[in-house]
Amino acid sequence: MSKLTALIAITFASFGAHAQEGASVEMGSTEAVINHFIAQNSNPQSALVRSLGGVNLGANIRDYFYKNGVLSVTGTAIDSKNSVFVLKGSKQKLYGYLVLHDSKRAFEYTTNSKGIVSAKEVPISKIYPDLDERFPIQTQAFANIAVSHPKYSPMALRQAPHIGPYQNEDVTRLESKPGSPYVFYLNTAAVMNGSTPLNGVTKEQMYRTWQSVADQYSMLNMNVTTNLAVYNAAKANNLLRTGVLNYVNQDGRSNAPLHSFGTTAAGTLYRNSSAGFDYGYGIGMTAAHEVGHQMGMLHDHGGSGGEYFEGIPAFQWGPIMGNYWMGGSWANQLFTWSKGEYNTASNFEDDLNIMNVEESVPYAVDDNQSGKPLLIEANGDINPQRNFGQIERNTDSDSFMFSLNSAGTLNASIDPIEYLRMLDIEALVYDSANKIVARSNLSVNRSAEFNNQTLAAGNYRLVIKGGAEGTPQHGFSNYSSLGYYAIKGALLGKVVDTDPVLKSGVPLIGQVGTTGGWKHYVIDVPAGMTKLQFSIAGGNGDADLYAQLGARATSTSNLCKSDGSTSNETCSLNQPAAGKYYLSIYGYAAYSALSVSASFSK
């Protein structure tokens, strides 16, 4: 990272006081433009001086980053400090803009199919969609609507860092996906006094503003954080994987520049603390919306809302890039990403594709790729802290297997457990012949449930996936039914253990596991044993070993463990009580060809 105050005057033939509509000038090939910035970084005196529409498009560069052929430049106009200059991309494509806030003029830089970069004057709302002056009064009216914030599911029990009610965390150090190289920083410094919010806002409300953004982007491998140190570290490593939204300690109209992720051009989030809504919910929704612009999305238009589609009340659904205020008081509101499937849509951009492909932010890793056992307690209870997952993509479905030796009864609820949720749940029970024996997707409720569902003896799969209601034209599809869920209830009947059973002293070979995944094995230990030993052996990856009596072990709940830096681990218990022991393996790094064994002796 280097900071320059040099002028990069990459501007072109003069067109008079204002550029004619549609007029543009060529800047040169993408390679030539990139090379100019590389040269300018080494020699501030090297510059091209041109103009368009009577405006000098040169820039004072604040932040410069170039890595592996990809460029990011952020700065201001030469002639105006109240401005923003952005250019980012590679030899395949460059995109950027220069916005002059005082004169309300904007110039957009785009790349054609031949790799030529051109500059063109555009309305300022093309770059800052929320600065369209046709909508100021109407939008403020939306802000004054009384809004009641969502209620947490009782199953929301910190299954992930951003899930569940506030628990006295330091709101300046929140992280949704710690360790991810992709980071979006919510800069709350201006509305905080140390770790205490200003203006009567509570820490719990501040937590929910962060939580709302974390919820709306949880399908991505992106860490939404309020921690400046985390942002600075990610920015230093690769600025192109970061974004920033500044909270501002005054009222105003929140706004953000388009496609500014990967640069240091920040969005602006005003407090509007006197607008009559719950701060955590209202500012949280607005933050998620503005970050959407920074990730590249325009508004979802249509209906009587025009620029901001107001959603479909019959299904309590609306796009977060539309007028989310109109659905703010719905009891079971669902705000999602969109690709313009509803009847009155005029913006058909694919929001998920923009984030994942255009901005190159990967999806979160599938946490249930090939199915996992439904974990059932000894009394038949299904615990939501042990049975949960995430629908990361609209093609994803999660399977939980269970077996019954005799007829049984299933009572279960499946809830979305995020606060500003996107997930509408469809749940299905399949038998061993792959026949659907039960299905649930509660209407305008977001959850699924099975009440006194009788099941014959046999093998079953409980499948969870994103739901839909109505039609895509009048309702919503499962396009953005994404997010975390949990399962709670009971399965009554003789349940068969679905974890592999070990025999004493007989290794189970060829076991494989993914990074961050768990595998579980069981062994029945008779009374009178003096020693019980668990072992794993492998030549690759890093598998960690944990053991527990009566339930699957975890890194925090175990009777013995071995978690070294290889896949060769052993732990043992003296005078083990009789019962069913679980050998649980955590993949600190993916492994294969692993041997798993347990042995007991007198």
Side-chain angles (χ1 to χ4, degrees), residues 4-37:
L4 310 177
T5 55
L7 57 93
I8 307 288
I10 303 183
T11 55
F12 302 89
S14 183
F15 276 85
H18 289 275
Q20 295 178 358
E21 184 175 352
S24 64
V25 291
E26 289 189 1
M27 298 174 63
S29 68
T30 54
E31 183 173 10
V33 172
I34 290 173
N35 287 338
H36 278 302
F37 279 100

Side-chain angles (χ1 to χ4, degrees), residues 365-380:
V365 175
D366 190 345
D367 65 340
N368 189 341
Q369 296 182 24
S370 54
K372 59 177 63 173
L374 184 67
L375 303 181
I376 303 166
E377 309 301 321
N379 63 356

Side-chain angles (χ1 to χ4, degrees), residues 575-592:
Q575 307 298 325
K580 185 185 297 293
Y581 285 81
Y582 286 77
L583 187 163
S584 299
I585 301 172
Y586 175 72
Y588 188 84
Y591 59 87
S592 62

Side-chain angles (χ1 to χ4, degrees), residues 230-288:
V230 171
Y231 171 62
N232 283 338
K235 187 171 62 171
N237 183 61
N238 192 335
L239 188 152
L240 293 150
R241 294 177 173 178
T242 66
V244 56
L245 177 69
N246 292 331
Y247 287 55
V248 177
N249 189 25
Q250 63 186 69
D251 290 352
R253 183 168 183 163
S254 298
N255 60 84
L258 200 66
H259 278 298
S260 59
F261 183 79
T263 77
T264 58
T268 301
L269 187 68
Y270 288 97
R271 67 185 184 203
N272 297 109
S273 56
S274 61
F277 58 82
D278 174 82
Y279 182 92
Y281 183 31
I283 295 298
M285 288 191 295
T286 302

Side-chain angles (χ1 to χ4, degrees), residues 304-325:
S304 60
E307 175 75 5
Y308 301 85
F309 179 58
E310 69 274 28
I312 303 177
F315 297 95
Q316 297 190 13
W317 169 86
I320 192 65
M321 298 310 294
N323 178 12
Y324 48 86
W325 293 109

